[in-house]
Amino acid sequence: MERLRESLHEAPIVDKDGYEYLVHPISNGVPMLDPQLLREVVVEVMQEADLDVDKIVAPEAMGIHLATALSLQTDIPLVVIRKRAYGLPDEVALHKSTGYSESEMYINDIEADDRVLIVDDLLSTGGTLAAICDALDGIGAEISDIVVVMRKVGESAMDDVDHDVESLVDITVEDGDVTVH
């Protein structure tokens, strides 16, 4: 986890209307994502996650590269929760609300009783993950585990959901600096 910790301290922080936004290769794709960093993160996720699942689930967009690498290493099929409707049979819409946006997302290829692992890059406000959990619960899927690479310390929408989230690192971003807890 040395590369991840080092990359967090090197990542730029930009001000977005008073919100300190961490720009990190895992969560933004910029600065450039070093394959050694991605490999380190995927290996750690494999050690932390319950991999006795039918499917890996990841939200578009920044969970995709992480979940793809995990799928390639484990041979577990990947389902991407998309930001666009395709109108496929049994497509399930969900509404997500984060600290900075609201939008719809769409789930395909998840059935009742599927055991799933949710993987994502960053848990900040928790709005996306909470909406995904509610939708998967509504389908009747079993959420076996939820693993995020980074979790911002503080309250989140996941506090009101009956699923625990494991993180590789917990962070705070304050006064232009990242603190890894």
Side-chain angles (χ1 to χ4, degrees), residues 48-58 70 74-79 107-119 132 136-137 139-147 163 166:
E48 295 294 322
D50 177 357
L51 298 175
D52 183 20
V53 296
D54 302 306
K55 297 169 184 168
I56 297 168
V57 175
L70 183 62
T74 61
D75 288 325
I76 300 170
L78 168 61
V79 173
I107 301 174
N108 286 286
D109 300 313
I110 299 290
E111 300 171 15
D113 299 323
D114 277 347
R115 284 180 47 86
V116 301
L117 162 63
I118 302 172
V119 177
I132 289 170
L136 291 172
D137 287 342
I139 292 169
E142 179 186 341
I143 300 171
S144 173
D145 207 352
I146 304 169
V147 179
H163 299 285
E166 295 179 51

Side-chain angles (χ1 to χ4, degrees), residues 26-68:
I26 292 290
S27 59
N28 302 102
V30 293
M32 174 178 57
L33 179 54
D34 180 340
Q36 292 176 337
L37 173 60
L38 181 58
R39 185 177 301 109
E40 176 185 85
V41 166
V42 169
V43 166
E44 190 68 22
V45 169
M46 289 173 60
Q47 292 172 355
E48 295 294 322
D50 177 357
L51 298 175
D52 183 20
V53 296
D54 302 306
K55 297 169 184 168
I56 297 168
V57 175
E60 184 178 17
M62 295 318 298
I64 294 175
H65 59 284
L66 175 64
T68 299

Side-chain angles (χ1 to χ4, degrees), residues 59-61 81-85 92-107 125-132 135:
E60 184 178 17
I81 299 178
R82 302 300 308 257
K83 294 178 180 178
R84 171 189 342 214
V92 174
L94 64 95
H95 181 81
K96 72 167 188 142
S97 178
T98 68
Y100 43 85
S101 71
E102 287 191 39
S103 62
E104 303 300 313
M105 296 186 85
Y106 303 88
I107 301 174
T125 65
T128 300
L129 279 178
I132 289 170

Side-chain angles (χ1 to χ4, degrees), residues 129-131 133-134 137 146 157-164:
L129 279 178
C133 288
D134 287 345
D137 287 342
I146 304 169
M158 287 302 292
D159 295 340
D160 300 324
V161 176
D162 269 346
H163 299 285
D164 294 328

